[in-house]
Amino acid sequence: MTDAIPNRAGGGADGRDQRTGDGAGGAAGARCPVTGRLTRRPGGAARLRALLESGPTIVAPGAFDPLAARLVEEAGFPAVYMTGFGTSAALIGRPDVGLLTMTEMAANAGRIADCVDIPVIADADTGYGNPLNVIRTVGAYEAAGVAGIHIEDQVAPKKCGHMEGKLVIPAPDMAAKVRAAVEARTQPEFVIIARTDARAVEGLERALQRARMYLEAGADVLFIEALVSEAEIEAAARAFPGVPLLFNWAEGGKTPPVSLARLTELGYRIVIFPISTLLAATAAMRAVLREIATAGTPAAALAGLPTFGEFVDFIGLPQVREAEQRYVT
């Protein structure tokens, strides 16, 4: 897909370069000041809110761990999406079928938010229970430093939105969860995204009705999952003029591969590419492991890989050395 290009040039809401966080350009984070925790600046929720309210469509590729998130940032994207599918695959090597707990998901979100200077949008599954659980979930993700979360109306244990066999809870129960999430946040800018998986269970019209209920409950963004045709994608956009919508460009999923230009034209404000990095990493690791298995060493594959020096520079060794010198006694 050649038109799914991020807004590489744009600085953040405060004019800082979104790839470096300091307005100076160059490699991601190369001149970011080092703090005691080697972390980046706070305020992701406010920056995500500013992006939502103006500017181009927010393209947020998925990251399953902090390294993937840093690569997303280096590529110049304005935000990163913590994928639940990828988190499950990376943390426990298992499919996205509700096996991870809230604390495991929030912890991964926190590790990602700690190492990038762009807003993190995170998967929060079903909110992990009833409205009381949702309150705790919002608190945990806020404390983790993410900019916003999406919660969905599936029956727990949930499934990936593009798998078969999903079930949904009653719409009023989900609306109560959305209200709880909105009222629980301590940062007014923290973005609550309401996702409905009802298209696969109850049909498009009912999914749109549910989304309208969730909007009335206070959701900031609507996420209508697993639309199956371009006509449905257009219908969802027409149903909510002026409302921020999230589009899941699920690689190989049920939704057709619509161009970014078309999604922007329809008014979608956030487009996520949840598992491109996960699939690419899997392919690359398979290739180098095959080389080791057949040749005995990875020597023949090294020409296509970053050098050791390039890699340690990318993950911040120069910053660590700078801090060591600054605080040496």
Side-chain angles (χ1 to χ4, degrees), residues 200-317:
V201 183
E202 301 175 340
L204 178 63
E205 288 306 315
R206 183 56 183 155
L208 298 180
Q209 292 171 11
R210 280 174 169 261
R212 192 164 290 109
M213 289 180 64
Y214 307 160
L215 181 65
E216 292 170 356
D220 300 303
V221 179
L222 297 178
F223 175 1
I224 303 166
E225 176 66 304
L227 300 170
V228 298
S229 68
E230 189 163 349
E232 290 193 353
I233 295 166
E234 294 172 2
R238 286 196 307 270
F240 297 100
V243 175
L245 300 177
L246 182 150
F247 183 85
N248 184 11
W249 206 101
E251 300 87 336
K254 295 179 178 295
T255 303
V258 180
S259 73
L260 179 62
R262 180 58 176 149
L263 295 171
T264 300
E265 179 185 1
L266 290 170
Y268 284 89
R269 292 295 298 125
I270 303 173
V271 180
I272 59 174
F273 297 86
I275 59 172
S276 291
T277 59
L278 177 70
L279 299 178
T282 301
M285 286 189 283
R286 275 180 171 163
V288 75
L289 292 170
R290 191 178 303 118
E291 178 64 23
I292 295 170
T294 57
T297 77
L302 293 181
L305 303 179
T307 67
F308 178 80
E310 289 169 345
F311 186 78
V312 295
D313 281 355
F314 168 66
I315 60 174
L317 183 59

Side-chain angles (χ1 to χ4, degrees), residues 11-311:
D14 60 0
R16 290 157 55 117
D17 188 290
Q18 291 180 4
R19 287 163 293 179
T20 67
D22 64 0
R31 286 180 286 278
C32 284
V34 179
T35 72
R37 295 185 301 149
L38 299 176
T39 57
R40 306 288 185 93
R41 63 190 172 115
R47 284 178 280 130
L48 178 60
R49 183 76 64 164
L51 289 169
L52 270 176
E53 292 174 355
S54 64
T57 300
I58 301 165
V59 177
F64 50 90
D65 67 6
L67 178 60
R70 293 200 67 172
L71 289 165
V72 170
E73 181 182 48
E74 182 192 46
F77 291 93
V80 61
Y81 171 66
M82 189 200 83
T83 158
F85 184 104
T87 296
S88 185
L91 290 190
I92 61 173
R94 294 291 182 263
D96 183 16
V97 291
L99 298 175
L100 291 180
T101 64
M102 182 272 283
T103 51
E104 288 173 313
M105 289 283 285
N108 196 45
R111 287 189 290 270
I112 288 172
D114 270 350
C115 78
V116 294
D117 198 31
I118 53 177
V120 177
I121 303 167
D123 187 347
D125 295 320
T126 64
Y128 307 101
N130 63 24
L132 291 178
N133 301 109
V134 169
I135 290 170
R136 182 164 183 250
T137 295
V138 169
Y141 277 81
E142 275 192 314
V146 305
I149 59 171
H150 67 72
I151 59 174
E152 65 206 46
D153 56 6
Q154 282 196 53
V155 170
K158 56 76 56 82
K159 292 182 174 65
C160 165
H162 292 259
M163 292 178 180
E164 300 295 336
K166 297 186 295 182
L167 298 172
V168 291
I169 64 174
D173 291 354
M174 178 60 180
K177 288 188 181 188
V178 174
R179 286 196 302 273
V182 170
E183 293 172 5
R185 60 188 171 191
T186 60
Q187 306 170 59
E189 301 91 352
F190 189 79
V191 177
I192 302 297
I193 303 167
R195 165 176 149 178
T196 179
D197 285 69
R199 165 61 188 88
V201 183
E202 301 175 340
L204 178 63
E205 288 306 315
R206 183 56 183 155
L208 298 180
Q209 292 171 11
R210 280 174 169 261
R212 192 164 290 109
M213 289 180 64
Y214 307 160
L215 181 65
E216 292 170 356
D220 300 303
V221 179
L222 297 178
F223 175 1
I224 303 166
E225 176 66 304
L227 300 170
V228 298
S229 68
E230 189 163 349
E232 290 193 353
I233 295 166
E234 294 172 2
R238 286 196 307 270
F240 297 100
V243 175
L245 300 177
L246 182 150
F247 183 85
N248 184 11
W249 206 101
E251 300 87 336
K254 295 179 178 295
T255 303
V258 180
S259 73
L260 179 62
R262 180 58 176 149
L263 295 171
T264 300
E265 179 185 1
L266 290 170
Y268 284 89
R269 292 295 298 125
I270 303 173
V271 180
I272 59 174
F273 297 86
I275 59 172
S276 291
T277 59
L278 177 70
L279 299 178
T282 301
M285 286 189 283
R286 275 180 171 163
V288 75
L289 292 170
R290 191 178 303 118
E291 178 64 23
I292 295 170
T294 57
T297 77
L302 293 181
L305 303 179
T307 67
F308 178 80
E310 289 169 345
F311 186 78

